[in-house]
Amino acid sequence: MKKINPAHIGFDIDGVVADTGGAFIRIANEEYGLHSLSLKDITYYEVVGSLDVERKIIDEIFKRLHDEPLSSGIQPMEDAISVLHKYAEHAPLTFVTARPQKEPIAMWLKHFLKPAAHENMRLVAMGEHDNKTPYIKNLGLKYFVDDRLQTCQKLAREGITPLVYNQPWNMNGHDLQTVDNWQAIHALCFD
Ligand SMILES: [Mg+2]
């Protein structure tokens, strides 16, 4: 495949840059005693429907992951930060998240990214899941990495090339291009 220009690709955050699912499982395990959960139990994007766990507990954990991504211990996905730094040498990083609040996740990114990469990044917090395309187009992107299958399918219909970041909740029922990890994202743009 022809290499992608780094200026033309953007990234979702949760489930792509950030191991939010891993943090969810860890908190459920350590603080709620839900020891049998694993990431493989999350087979839908909407966790509520796929885990046999009380709704209230799920909501509490997600609120923490949203409001306090740093102190709730969300880690970057393996190799994400080093690959993002490589991208940032060539073009500003662009993130489009469905999160409703920008500030907490901006602080999280600031914690992990080099100052230059963080200062130049573009971050859009939309507050909704289903309308990423106009933002992505306005930012001049042609490719977008996301872990939510419905988002990727909508992008594909609307003229953006999605790359599905493989996760247990998006593995079935599509024929879109996928990436397994950040080494694969690196290989999209660089030799
Ligand atoms: Mg996501």
Side-chain angles (χ1 to χ4, degrees), residues 12-16 45 146-148:
D12 175 40
I13 297 178
D14 295 294
V16 174
Y45 194 82
D146 205 296
D147 65 309
R148 184 172 181 260

Side-chain angles (χ1 to χ4, degrees), residues 1 8 47 54 87 109 155 189:
M1 199 181 117
H8 291 163
V47 179
E54 223 184 300
Y87 271 80
L109 288 164
L155 290 173
C189 295

Side-chain angles (χ1 to χ4, degrees), residues 51-67:
L51 296 181
D52 185 21
V53 176
E54 223 184 300
R55 173 72 190 244
K56 185 168 158 287
I57 292 177
I58 291 174
D59 288 347
E60 270 179 35
I61 298 175
F62 269 118
K63 184 168 176 4
R64 276 183 54 192
L65 295 171
H66 274 111
D67 293 352

Side-chain angles (χ1 to χ4, degrees), residues 106-172:
M107 293 294 290
W108 186 88
L109 288 164
K110 186 177 185 182
H111 178 82
F112 290 104
L113 291 173
K114 289 179 184 170
H118 180 262
E119 281 157 22
N120 293 323
M121 75 178 185
R122 305 182 297 174
L123 169 62
V124 176
M126 299 174 36
E128 57 175 335
H129 277 298
D130 280 323
N131 197 30
K132 280 191 178 178
T133 310
Y135 295 89
I136 287 168
K137 286 189 172 168
N138 283 340
L139 290 160
L141 306 178
K142 297 187 167 76
Y143 302 85
F144 195 76
V145 186
D146 205 296
D147 65 309
R148 184 172 181 260
L149 195 51
Q150 294 94 316
T151 299
C152 289
Q153 288 166 329
K154 195 162 195 291
L155 290 173
R157 286 195 298 273
E158 295 173 345
I160 298 291
T161 302
L163 297 144
V164 181
Y165 193 98
N166 279 333
Q167 290 278 13
W169 48 88
N170 64 29
M171 299 292 272
N172 295 313

